Amino acid sequence: MHINLIAKREVKVGFRNPWSYSFMALFSLFSLGLLIIQSQSYMKGYTYTTGTMLNLILYLLPLMTMLLSSFSLTAEKEEGSWQLLSTYSMTTFSFLVGKYLGQALVLVAIVSFGYGLSGVAGMLLGKSFAFSTLLFLLAFSICLILLFLGIAMLIGAISKNRWQALTMGVSIWFFYILAWPTLLISVLSFVPYTWIKPLLQLATFLNPAEFVRIFSVARLGGGSIFGPEYYKWVYWADSPLGDLIFVALSLLWISATLFIAIRVWERR
């Protein structure tokens, strides 16, 4: 019951937050940019255009999710709302899970509006996304939102104010999205060859952006772009159990980050 109430409250607060509309405007502009990229190439399966679009979404959505959601949690501390809510018979689990669900609804609404706008604009201009393409991009975006929302809850639990949340969010985004390939290659170059495969698989599971990207590219039939050796090592993405592994891994990530966030929040 408390989870439901907190989620409803979060949706109301989220849609009153001017930052939500700023991100909605940014994502709508961004999705129109994707439409222009898509209009220059017929998209079926994995192509250079598809890869560009997935990478652009990877650059924007994790950062947007972590900033918007971690700010929501730190605002509860700075404005004293949590001190008031904690006087009621409500558990930290209900509070943070409710915040997670409410934020997820707000963010999914933002990306759905952006893709919907680009779909309508494309229809008017005669260069619309294929419906299957829109669904694939929406599913890819929702996976990123749900996974990085768990990290955002953890950032919000650790941070005392918005500045700390901003610094931590940008640092994690830089590590996972920009620095990851360079760091991975650097570390793996120092380990024995027989260790590379298990370490690479473990590292892939530790980066939500990476395993969502690998799974999506494999599902589009473009796994060969990783190179035959790398693709052989991440074979799980294209295996018959790939869907099951991906869902289990995603649920594990979300559960683990929320569990740690709850423990951190209770200690503070």
Side-chain angles (χ1 to χ4, degrees):
M1 180 61 77
H2 287 154
I3 293 177
N4 190 31
L5 291 174
I6 293 295
K8 286 181 179 176
R9 170 180 174 271
E10 190 60 27
V11 171
K12 289 180 183 176
V13 172
F15 283 117
R16 289 174 186 164
N17 185 353
W19 280 98
S20 299
Y21 293 98
S22 301
F23 279 123
M24 184 180 284
L26 177 63
F27 192 80
S28 299
L29 185 64
F30 172 81
S31 61
L32 290 174
L34 293 182
L35 178 66
I36 294 172
I37 294 174
Q38 184 271 156
S39 69
Q40 296 172 358
S41 171
Y42 178 67
M43 180 175 160
K44 186 176 182 180
Y46 187 82
T47 62
Y48 173 78
T49 305
T50 316
T52 303
M53 293 168 71
L54 294 184
N55 285 332
L56 288 174
I57 295 170
L58 271 172
Y59 287 142
L60 178 62
L61 266 185
L63 183 63
M64 188 174 88
T65 301
M66 287 192 288
L67 293 187
L68 195 63
S69 302
S70 61
F71 283 7
S72 170
L73 267 182
T74 52
E76 300 279 2
K77 298 177 184 176
E78 291 179 298
E79 296 168 3
S81 305
W82 166 243
Q83 284 80 357
L84 177 62
L85 288 172
S86 62
T87 60
Y88 295 92
S89 57
M90 181 175 58
T91 63
T92 307
F93 174 85
S94 300
F95 177 67
L96 287 186
V97 172
K99 295 281 286 186
Y100 178 92
L101 295 175
Q103 282 291 321
L105 288 172
V106 172
L107 288 164
V108 169
I110 289 174
V111 296
S112 299
F113 178 83
Y115 287 134
L117 182 65
S118 64
V120 172
M123 286 177 63
L124 294 176
L125 296 173
K127 293 180 178 179
S128 175
F129 283 111
F131 185 65
S132 59
T133 303
L134 269 179
L135 279 183
F136 172 78
L137 292 176
L138 182 61
F140 179 74
S141 302
I142 290 175
C143 287
L144 287 176
I145 287 171
L146 296 180
L147 288 164
F148 277 91
L149 195 51
I151 299 176
M153 292 290 114
L154 183 55
I155 294 172
I158 295 172
S159 305
K160 294 179 181 177
N161 51 52
R162 290 180 178 90
W163 281 110
Q164 284 188 2
L166 175 65
T167 305
M168 202 175 298
V170 171
S171 300
I172 290 174
W173 173 81
F174 180 82
F175 174 76
Y176 272 151
I177 307 299
L178 295 184
W180 184 262
T182 306
L183 292 175
L184 192 61
I185 292 171
S186 302
V187 171
L188 293 180
S189 64
F190 287 103
V191 301
Y193 182 78
T194 53
W195 291 14
I196 292 179
K197 179 180 177 181
L199 283 178
L200 182 64
Q201 289 180 340
L202 177 64
T204 302
F205 293 151
L206 293 176
N207 185 341
E210 189 66 7
F211 71 71
V212 171
R213 185 176 73 93
I214 288 174
F215 179 76
S216 301
V217 172
R219 278 291 172 269
L220 286 172
S224 57
I225 64 141
F226 299 122
E229 198 71 10
Y230 187 93
Y231 190 48
K232 187 172 65 179
W233 291 341
V234 292
Y235 66 93
W236 64 269
D238 208 20
S239 68
L241 293 176
D243 293 341
L244 187 62
I245 295 173
F246 178 76
V247 171
L249 196 57
S250 299
L251 291 176
L252 181 63
W253 244 100
I254 295 168
S255 303
T257 48
L258 277 178
F259 175 77
I260 298 171
I262 290 169
R263 297 304 298 266
V264 171
W265 190 274
E266 287 176 344
R267 285 179 179 275
R268 287 174 178 266

